[in-house]
C-alpha cells in the first residue's frame, strides 16, 4: 500500500493567516487524502534576523489595514466568527508555543492550537500571559499549571530553539508555511489548496 502523503503545517500563534489556515486545513487535507503534521514555531526570531522589529503589518500601515479587512472577509467566507483584533498585535506567543512544542507528539496538540488561535482572533483575548495558556490547557482537561511548568524546562526550551533553526534552514520566512514530502514550500493561507494538491501528486501544467 502506498504511503499517505504528508503536508507539514508551520504556524505561529500570533499570525492572523495561520489562524485561518488552522481552521481550514483538516477538512481540506482529509478530502485530498493528505496527512497533516502540525509544526508550531516562533516567527519573531526570523523577523529579527531580517531586521524587522515587529510584524510587517505594523511596519507598513497600509498593508496592515488591508490585512485586517481581508481577515474580516475571509473569516466570513469560511464561516468563522467575526475577527477580533487582540491588543497588542502581534501577541507574544512564547508561552503558548512552548506548550505546543511540549505537546507536539501528543493528541492534544491540535485542539490546543485551535483553542489558542480562537482565543486570540475570535475572542480578541491575550495569549501572552502564562495564566492564559494555563486556562486553555485546563479547558482541554489537562493540568495546565504542570504542563506549563514542563514547557518552561530547559529541555523543552532547547527543543523550541532547534525547531526555530530547522525553520530557518528549510527556507521558512513567514507563517503559515506548508512543506510537502519532496520539500516544496508554499507560503500563505491562500496557498493551502495548492500545497495539498502538490502533496497529493498533482502538478500544474507539465511540471514534474
Amino acid at each position: 500500500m502506498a504511503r499517505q502523503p504528508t503536508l507539514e503545517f508551520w504556524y505561529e500563534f500570533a499570525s492572523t493567516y495561520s489562524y485561518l489556515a488552522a481552521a481550514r486545513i483538516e477538512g481540506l487535507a482529509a478530502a485530498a487524502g493528505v496527512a497533516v503534521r502540525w509544526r508550531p514555531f516562533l516567527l519573531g526570531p526570523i523577523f529579527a534576523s531580517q531586521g524587522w522589529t515587529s510584524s510587517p503589518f505594523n511596519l507598513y500601515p497600509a498593508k496592515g489595514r488591508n490585512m485586517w479587512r481581508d481577515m474580516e472577509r475571509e473569516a466570513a467566507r469560511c464561516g468563522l466568527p467575526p475577527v477580533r483584533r487582540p491588543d497588542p498585535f502581534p501577541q507574544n506567543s512564547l508561552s503558548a508555543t512552548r506548550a505546543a512544542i511540549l505537546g507536539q507528539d501528543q493528541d492534544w496538540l491540535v485542539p490546543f492550537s485551535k483553542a489558542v488561535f480562537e482565543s486570540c482572533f475570535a475572542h480578541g483575548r491575550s495569549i501572552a500571559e502564562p495564566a492564559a495558556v494555563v486556562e486553555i490547557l485546563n479547558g482541554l482537561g489537562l493540568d495546565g499549571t504542570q504542563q506549563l511548568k514542563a514547557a518552561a524546562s530547559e529541555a523543552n526550551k532547547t527543543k523550541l530553539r532547534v525547531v526555530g533553526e530547522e525553520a530557518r534552514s528549510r527556507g521558512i520566512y513567514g507563517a503559515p508555511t506548508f512543506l510537502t514530502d519532496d520539500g516544496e514550500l508554499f507560503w500563505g493561507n491562500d496557498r493551502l489548496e495548492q500545497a495539498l494538491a502538490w502533496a497529493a501528486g498533482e502538478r500544474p501544467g507539465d511540471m514534474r
Side-chain angles (χ1 to χ4, degrees), residues 18-104:
S18 289
Y19 161 59
L20 293 181
R24 301 191 317 124
I25 194 168
E26 289 184 304
L28 292 172
V34 175
V36 178
R37 184 183 179 198
W38 291 59
R39 303 294 311 271
F41 77 115
L42 287 174
L43 191 53
I46 292 177
F47 280 175
S49 69
Q50 301 176 63
W52 292 351
T53 57
S54 183
S55 164
F57 296 122
N58 288 345
L59 296 175
Y60 305 100
K63 186 173 186 176
R65 287 191 295 272
N66 180 249
M67 178 274 290
W68 288 111
R69 181 56 182 156
D70 187 53
M71 286 291 296
E72 292 174 353
R73 292 192 301 257
E74 286 299 288
R77 186 178 69 86
C78 295
L80 298 173
V83 172
R84 297 185 62 182
R85 178 174 178 170
D87 184 23
F89 172 82
Q91 288 280 297
N92 183 330
S93 59
L94 179 60
S95 290
T97 308
R98 283 178 178 171
I101 291 295
L102 181 71
Q104 60 188 342

Side-chain angles (χ1 to χ4, degrees), residues 1 20 24 60 82 92 100 104 115 117 128 153 160 167 174 178 181:
M1 181 180 294
L20 293 181
R24 301 191 317 124
Y60 305 100
N92 183 330
Q104 60 188 342
F117 278 126
S153 69
L160 178 55
F178 311 102
D181 288 330

Side-chain angles (χ1 to χ4, degrees), residues 76-148:
R77 186 178 69 86
C78 295
L80 298 173
V83 172
R84 297 185 62 182
R85 178 174 178 170
D87 184 23
F89 172 82
Q91 288 280 297
N92 183 330
S93 59
L94 179 60
S95 290
T97 308
R98 283 178 178 171
I101 291 295
L102 181 71
Q104 60 188 342
D105 297 318
Q106 304 297 319
D107 58 7
W108 54 263
L109 172 63
V110 174
F112 170 74
S113 297
K114 288 181 173 181
V116 172
F117 278 126
E118 289 168 6
S119 181
C120 190
F121 295 114
H123 302 292
R125 298 174 185 152
S126 173
I127 59 168
E129 295 80 14
V133 180
V134 168
E135 182 179 351
I136 291 170
L137 289 164
N138 287 343
L140 297 174
L142 302 167
D143 186 329
T145 300
Q146 289 301 315
Q147 294 290 348
L148 205 62

